[in-house]
Amino acid sequence: MRYYFFFLLTLLTACSGLERSEQERMRRVNAKAEEIYRLKGEKFLTIEIPKKRKREQYSFEKYTIGNHPRITKEYFRCRGSAKNPSVMLKKNTKNAICHFDCGGYDKHSLPVREEKEYIYPVLIDLLNYIQEKTQKKVVITCGHRCPVHNVYADASKKNQSSKHLIGAEVDFYVQGMEQCPKEIVDLIMNYYENVEEASYKSFARYTSADSNVSINPWYNKEIFIKLFDKNEGRDFDNNHPYPYISLQMRYDKLGKKRVLYSWHQAFNGFMRW
Ligand SMILES: [Zn+2]
């Protein structure tokens, strides 16, 4: 039996070897040689030398400027929080009112315009421009304020018509340049140098006594720049030791109208949940 098995194995192996050699013979018979007529150095296609080009940004890099995240409308959300302790609005009187802060961005939106949350784009662009030019972080201390947080932060009568309520004002300072806010004001003016309209390029000084700052503010057609010294303009949101800058919208370029405080917009122009 064992011998029969070995005989069969040998026979099969021999057959497959025979088949392979036959295939090789047929391949050689049918093979056709083709001569190469191309001369040395002759090229069918000319390949251009690759040029070095700048690498395209990854999607996550588009959200940064230098080492800092790009500022978006999310940075303008109300700084109120239900965890903040209550404040007494009329101290040392029998009619003192206990006022609680709002629930913050968990409880309400930014101002809404055309069914979307809206912050004036030029405010965002200006802050990103400052970050890009200084390579330093812009710290927004106050963007949008809902009416409840606005009273909580500063209950003075003058503050009740603040443009923070309609998303048209922002307070900020630049980390690492806290003591040189004038340089930041100059940068803001530089931003407008490439704008065609002369009314945007030229800045005037606001000299009226009602500005509540020691340094006269600057303004062009679109924005109003206020520089608060380290002892000025302190409230709950600006409770830090640095001078800071406030940018207010004066004119809405897209809507082609002046930006004015409106009670209706301030109290009904955002969503609560
Ligand atoms: Zn709020």
Side-chain angles (χ1 to χ4, degrees):
M1 185 67 191
R2 196 190 302 168
Y3 294 116
Y4 176 72
F5 174 74
F6 279 117
F7 174 74
L8 193 65
L9 188 69
T10 313
L11 193 69
L12 287 171
T13 312
C15 283
S16 69
L18 201 68
E19 194 178 331
R20 269 203 304 275
S21 64
E22 181 61 16
Q23 279 176 356
E24 181 61 21
R25 193 183 68 79
M26 290 303 291
R27 192 185 70 79
R28 285 176 183 277
V29 169
N30 294 320
K32 285 181 183 174
E34 204 168 291
E35 288 186 42
I36 298 172
Y37 298 102
R38 177 168 58 83
L39 299 173
K40 189 184 175 187
E42 195 178 81
K43 288 175 185 171
F44 192 65
L45 288 171
T46 313
I47 300 167
E48 287 183 21
I49 299 167
K51 289 175 188 168
K52 192 178 178 183
R53 65 184 170 92
K54 200 179 173 187
R55 177 176 64 80
E56 285 183 18
Q57 283 188 318
Y58 289 107
S59 58
F60 60 84
E61 288 176 312
K62 289 175 186 169
Y63 299 108
T64 58
I65 292 181
N67 295 322
H68 305 293
R70 181 179 287 275
I71 288 167
T72 63
K73 63 179 168 61
E74 300 303 318
Y75 287 66
F76 286 68
R77 293 200 181 272
C78 182
R79 297 287 194 276
S81 167
K83 291 176 186 170
N84 290 334
S86 62
V87 289
M88 302 305 281
L89 293 185
K90 291 180 183 175
K91 290 175 183 173
N92 304 323
T93 66
K94 288 181 181 176
N95 298 321
I97 301 166
C98 184
H99 183 78
F100 290 90
D101 199 0
C102 73
Y105 55 79
D106 285 340
K107 295 292 178 185
H108 65 80
S109 70
L110 288 169
V112 173
R113 184 164 158 175
E114 294 174 357
E115 300 181 3
K116 285 181 182 173
E117 290 189 309
Y118 185 84
I119 293 292
Y120 286 88
V122 71
L123 295 179
I124 299 171
D125 289 349
L126 275 166
L127 298 184
N128 278 320
Y129 177 80
I130 293 166
Q131 266 196 175
E132 189 186 338
K133 292 294 172 188
T134 59
Q135 292 292 301
K136 294 183 189 299
K137 185 183 174 185
V138 167
V139 180
I140 297 175
T141 53
C142 181
H144 170 237
R145 268 181 188 163
C146 68
V148 175
H149 183 62
N150 192 51
V151 172
Y152 185 88
D154 179 0
S156 67
K157 194 176 176 184
K158 186 178 170 58
N159 186 50
Q160 300 319 302
S161 56
S162 158
K163 287 184 183 174
H164 282 297
L165 287 156
I166 58 168
E169 186 170 347
V170 61
D171 301 340
F172 71 96
Y173 63 87
V174 179
Q175 213 169 50
M177 293 181 75
E178 292 91 343
Q179 303 307 328
C180 31
K182 182 64 180 58
E183 286 182 33
I184 306 301
V185 173
D186 291 340
L187 262 181
I188 295 168
M189 292 180 187
N190 286 344
Y191 172 88
Y192 284 96
E193 277 188 0
N194 296 326
V195 179
E196 286 181 11
E197 289 181 59
S199 54
Y200 286 79
K201 275 184 188 175
S202 59
F203 278 81
R205 300 301 290 268
Y206 184 81
T207 52
S208 177
D210 66 348
S211 66
N212 73 341
V213 281
S214 54
I215 302 162
N216 287 336
W218 301 258
Y219 66 94
N220 68 356
K221 186 178 178 180
E222 190 169 46
I223 57 157
F224 188 86
I225 311 168
K226 237 177 179 180
L227 172 50
F228 290 90
D229 207 357
K230 60 183 178 181
N231 298 318
E232 296 170 338
R234 299 298 125 174
D235 54 33
F236 183 81
D237 290 336
N238 289 298
N239 191 19
H240 53 78
Y242 314 122
Y244 70 92
I245 295 167
S246 163
L247 288 178
Q248 284 178 37
M249 291 300 300
R250 293 189 72 232
Y251 185 74
D252 179 4
K253 205 189 300 182
L254 297 172
K256 294 181 181 171
K257 60 181 179 185
R258 284 184 68 194
V259 179
L260 299 169
Y261 167 79
S262 131
W263 185 93
H264 175 67
Q265 207 181 335
F267 282 76
N268 302 324
F270 64 100
M271 293 181 287
R272 298 169 173 88
W273 48 71

